Amino acid sequence: MTISLFVDNISKAFGGNQVLKSVTFSLQKGEILGLLGPNGSGKSTLLNAISGFTAIDSGTITAGAERIDKMPPHRIIRAGIARTFQLPAMPAKMTVMEVVMAAGTRHHGIWNGLFSLPSGRRAERKDHMKATGLLDTLLLTKVRDMPAAALSGGQKKLLGIACALMGDPDILMLDEPMAGVHPTLRQELVATLQTLSGNGISLVIIEHDMHFITSLCERCIVLDRGHIVASCHPDDLSKNQEVLDAYLGGASRALKEAV
Ligand code: ADP
Ligand code: MG
């Protein structure tokens, strides 16, 4: 197994609030890793740390052979790590197609467009075909000419995934991708993510929908107040006392003692 990401002993505080505490985990190539934990446990902050949106206080993050923990977000994207946002905001004046096209920058540098018009056009045609295919896969073709800001919350999530995939990432991190997504689209999304994993893309998925997690993940890690308290198969979560405590606090222990 090849490790695609190694998060080693990272910590992060906002003022006096210690949000990540010595977090360590690795991600294998092609693995789909669930990232669970109650609200406020530090999941989004962990994604922000890996993607360079939040500077960490200590520890290291390595992707392939490259240290990425001091890199700005745009270099981390170029290193092959893409992410989506828990609450995606979309520009009011751009259509869905324009938003996806604007994200397609990993393979064609500025020189391509400036000095070589025919190949610039070829690159643009290629991007356009790729964007069309991704909108089709994520069932957004019928809204491709609508303003992106007018989409439903769930459609914005799918558009965020399309944008992330335009850059051909090696690692894709999704922050609550199912929230607001229509139930009929969920199965499609599961299939799409399984295909990506089959193609060697590693996925980190923050999600509260346990059905989604169990149908996708072989392993999940659980954060509780900044600590990883479990790393196990999703089927074993309900037997794990630390996981129950994380979600139910003292109530779970009191309940156990009462019965
Ligand atoms: P989760 O995604 O697990 O719900 P978050 O990572 O969003 O949790 O938040 C964890 C904690 O970090 C919360 O207490 C939150 O208020 C705090 N936090 C997150 N981002 C910031 C920030 N930019 N500034 C200050 N506190 C933050
Ligand atoms: Mg969050």
Side-chain angles (χ1 to χ4, degrees), residues 90-211:
M90 294 295 166
K93 298 220 162 111
M94 286 169 81
T95 67
V96 168
M97 186 60 165
E98 284 166 346
V99 167
V100 186
M101 284 295 285
T105 52
R106 191 176 176 201
H107 292 302
H108 322 293
I110 186 169
W111 309 113
N112 207 348
L114 279 181
F115 295 121
S116 168
L117 200 55
S119 76
R121 283 210 188 112
R122 254 202 312 277
E124 191 173 321
R125 258 203 308 276
K126 238 171 104 182
D127 277 355
H128 198 273
M129 277 171 61
K130 192 166 166 188
T132 304
L134 282 170
L135 291 181
D136 188 40
T137 305
L138 293 159
L139 303 170
L140 292 169
T141 302
K142 62 178 185 304
V143 294
R144 55 177 267 170
D145 298 319
M146 272 175 60
L151 297 184
S152 71
Q155 287 172 320
K156 282 182 190 159
K157 295 246 148 163
L158 297 174
L159 178 53
I161 297 174
C163 289
L165 289 174
M166 278 298 280
D168 280 328
D170 303 311
I171 298 171
L172 175 60
M173 305 190 295
L174 306 174
D175 199 343
E176 301 197 15
M178 279 293 167
V181 172
H182 196 275
T184 54
L185 299 183
R186 292 180 179 205
Q187 209 41 50
E188 305 275 351
L189 188 53
V190 167
T192 301
L193 298 177
Q194 278 165 338
T195 305
L196 293 175
S197 153
N199 290 337
I201 296 176
S202 313
L203 296 153
V204 178
I205 305 179
I206 297 178
E207 186 52 62
H208 293 293
D209 180 334
M210 280 312 290
H211 179 67

Side-chain angles (χ1 to χ4, degrees), residues 40 81 134 136 149 164 174 199 211 213 217 219 225 231 241:
I81 302 178
L134 282 170
D136 188 40
L174 306 174
N199 290 337
H211 179 67
I213 290 291
C217 304
R219 184 169 69 102
R225 287 165 290 175
S231 167
Q241 187 59 44

Side-chain angles (χ1 to χ4, degrees), residues 14 17 19 37-46 86:
F14 291 108
N17 185 8
V19 174
N39 283 334
S41 56
K43 305 179 298 296
S44 293
T45 302
L46 181 53
Q86 189 171 346

